[in-house]
């Protein structure tokens, strides 16, 4: 007997083995988790639910070649995998905004009312999911007894959060669950060269020169507004933009409410077009100004 071909289907109810014996082809059928009917050669499903394979508070559902167990009505599967009875908490005991439109944090998304914190700490447990995946507040924010706070909110924090509160008081399990959708509102930034009119005139070489860039933000919050690195400065050339950093000849600072590019002692070689750029929190804007430095 020569084995020519064996095909196995992962979810199939049977496996067929083809063999060849002296040019005579035969077929053998092997049932998977099923019973083979004699003579007929077909598979008959076994009802595994007849053996009551499921646990407490679980209902068995038979399928072809398999079965599965689900929690019965008014029960829910706990962290230990056991289906437990629970009682619905009065909806007024939980407070949650169903939709939050945010551009920044901090924020608190869930808080429980009416139940003292001491009771909550002793008897309750809160679990969270984000976009249908298990999630813990400490990953992105601060975990609180009655909710959590996300600081420095950014686009990745937007999504659908589900909070499930289980309260076990002397064996009586109560449950409260809410969905929360957080939508990020797009912010905007406007840049303006405040001394552009002055810079339109030729500047004297060797005399201190400043380019002042004002930033007007709507629904955008900077961690440190006084940090000069909130703004990028470039010199625009034919070969591309050249990013500028502090040197002995020029430096970048924040002062008088504006971000400034300062030339200690400008020379005619410093003449050209300069760019003030804001590029963070999903906002990318810039503005240009041209200076002309001359020897007088």
């Amino acid at each position: 007997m020569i084995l020519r071909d064996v095909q196995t289907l992962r979810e199939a109810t049977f496996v067929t083995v083809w063999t060849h014996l002296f040019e005579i082809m035969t077929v053998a059928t092997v049932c998977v988790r099923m019973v083979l009917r004699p003579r007929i050669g077909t598979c008959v499903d076994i009802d595994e639910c007849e053996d009551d394979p499921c646990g407490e508070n679980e209902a068995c559902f038979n399928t072809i070649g398999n079965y599965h167990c689900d929690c019965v009505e008014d029960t829910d599967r706990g962290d230990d995998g056991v289906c437990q009875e629970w009682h619905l908490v009065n909806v007024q005991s939980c407070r949650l905004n169903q939709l939050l439109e945010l551009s920044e944090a901090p924020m608190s998304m869930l808080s429980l009312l009416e139940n003292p914190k001491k009771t909550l700490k002793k008897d309750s447990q809160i679990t969270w999911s984000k976009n249908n995946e298990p999630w813990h507040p400490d990953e992105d924010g601060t975990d609180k007894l009655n909710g959590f706070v996300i600081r420095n909110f950014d686009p990745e924090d937007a999504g659908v959060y589900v909070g499930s509160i289980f309260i076990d008081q002397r064996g009586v399990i109560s449950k409260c669950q809410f969905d929360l959708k957080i939508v990020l509102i797009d912010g905007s930034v406007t840049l303006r060269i405040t001394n552009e009119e002055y810079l339109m005139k030729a500047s004297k070489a060797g005399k201190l020169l400043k380019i002042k860039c004002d930033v007007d933000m709507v629904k955008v919050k900077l961690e440190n507004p006084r940090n000069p690195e909130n703004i990028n400065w470039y010199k625009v050339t034919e070969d591309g933009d050249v990013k500028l950093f502090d040197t002995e000849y020029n430096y970048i600072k924040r002062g008088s409410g504006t971000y400034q590019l300062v030339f200690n002692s400008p020379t005619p070689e410093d003449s050209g077009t300069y760019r003030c750029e804001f590029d963070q929190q999903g906002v990318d804007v810039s503005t240009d100004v041209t200076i002309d430095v001359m020897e007088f």
Side-chain angles (χ1 to χ4, degrees):
M1 179 181 295
I2 302 175
L3 182 63
R4 286 291 184 85
D5 187 25
V6 176
Q7 295 182 345
T8 303
L9 303 180
R10 182 177 298 176
E11 300 297 335
T13 58
F14 61 88
V15 177
T16 301
V17 180
W18 297 87
T19 65
H20 289 263
L21 179 63
F22 303 109
E23 305 301 330
I24 301 176
M25 185 174 70
T26 62
V27 179
T29 300
V30 180
C31 295
V32 180
R33 300 187 71 168
M34 305 183 80
V35 176
L36 179 65
R37 281 183 175 178
R39 301 179 183 178
I40 302 178
T42 59
C43 296
V44 179
D45 179 47
I46 298 175
D47 188 355
E48 292 89 349
C49 290
E50 292 182 353
D51 296 330
D52 195 19
C54 298
E56 184 180 359
N57 294 326
E58 292 183 339
C60 183
F61 296 88
N62 184 61
T63 60
I64 297 178
N66 210 335
Y67 74 98
H68 66 271
C69 302
D70 290 338
C71 292
V72 299
E73 188 177 359
D74 293 334
T75 67
D76 201 358
R77 198 176 301 277
D79 293 338
D80 56 0
V82 178
C83 295
Q84 298 176 322
E85 294 184 5
W86 55 269
H87 301 269
L88 183 64
V89 176
N90 187 333
V91 70
Q92 293 181 352
S93 297
C94 299
R95 180 182 66 191
L96 181 69
N97 294 327
Q98 298 299 310
L99 174 63
L100 291 182
E101 294 182 343
L102 301 168
S103 59
E104 58 191 47
M107 63 185 181
S108 179
M109 284 195 276
L110 177 68
S111 60
L112 298 180
L113 304 178
E114 298 183 6
N115 297 293
K117 286 191 174 183
K118 289 184 178 180
T119 301
L120 285 173
K121 187 175 183 179
K122 178 182 177 182
D123 301 324
S124 69
Q125 178 182 5
I126 304 178
T127 58
W128 297 93
S129 68
K130 176 183 177 183
N131 298 329
N132 296 321
E133 295 291 337
W135 178 81
H136 193 277
D138 282 346
E139 297 174 4
D140 301 298
T142 303
D143 194 6
K144 300 291 185 181
L145 175 64
N146 60 338
F148 62 88
V149 174
I150 293 181
R151 303 188 184 281
N152 301 321
F153 186 82
D154 57 38
E156 288 72 24
D157 293 318
V160 177
Y161 294 78
V162 177
S164 299
I165 302 94
F166 294 88
I167 303 174
D168 185 353
Q169 294 179 309
R170 298 179 181 180
V172 178
I173 308 298
S174 301
K175 175 184 176 183
C176 181
Q177 179 172 303
F178 287 97
D179 296 349
L180 170 67
K181 184 177 181 180
I182 303 178
V183 179
L184 178 67
I185 300 176
D186 293 335
S188 63
V189 174
T190 303
L191 303 179
R192 182 176 63 91
I193 304 299
T194 60
N195 60 338
E196 183 174 11
E197 185 176 350
Y198 171 79
L199 296 174
M200 292 175 62
K201 304 173 184 179
S203 300
K204 183 178 180 180
K207 182 179 179 181
L208 186 72
L209 176 64
K210 299 179 181 180
I211 301 177
K212 301 178 181 180
C213 184
D214 178 65
V215 181
D216 182 24
M217 295 176 290
V218 178
K219 296 176 181 176
V220 174
K221 185 177 181 180
L222 299 176
E223 182 176 353
N224 179 11
R226 300 190 62 82
N227 186 352
E229 296 183 0
N230 290 328
I231 289 293
N232 299 320
W233 288 96
Y234 298 88
K235 185 172 184 180
V236 181
T237 70
E238 294 181 356
D239 298 327
D241 298 347
V242 179
K243 190 172 183 179
L244 303 177
F245 300 94
D246 289 350
T247 69
E248 59 180 308
Y249 305 107
N250 56 265
Y251 60 93
I252 299 167
K253 75 169 190 174
R254 163 79 178 182
S256 303
T258 61
Y259 295 90
Q260 302 177 9
L261 175 62
V262 182
F263 298 86
N264 286 321
S265 182
T267 66
E269 287 73 21
D270 291 318
S271 298
T273 299
Y274 292 83
R275 175 164 298 154
C276 170
E277 177 196 67
F278 182 96
D279 183 12
Q280 55 181 303
Q281 300 188 36
V283 181
D284 185 3
V285 293
S286 63
T287 186
D288 296 350
V289 65
T290 300
I291 63 173
D292 185 16
V293 181
M294 299 180 61
E295 296 281 0
F296 287 98

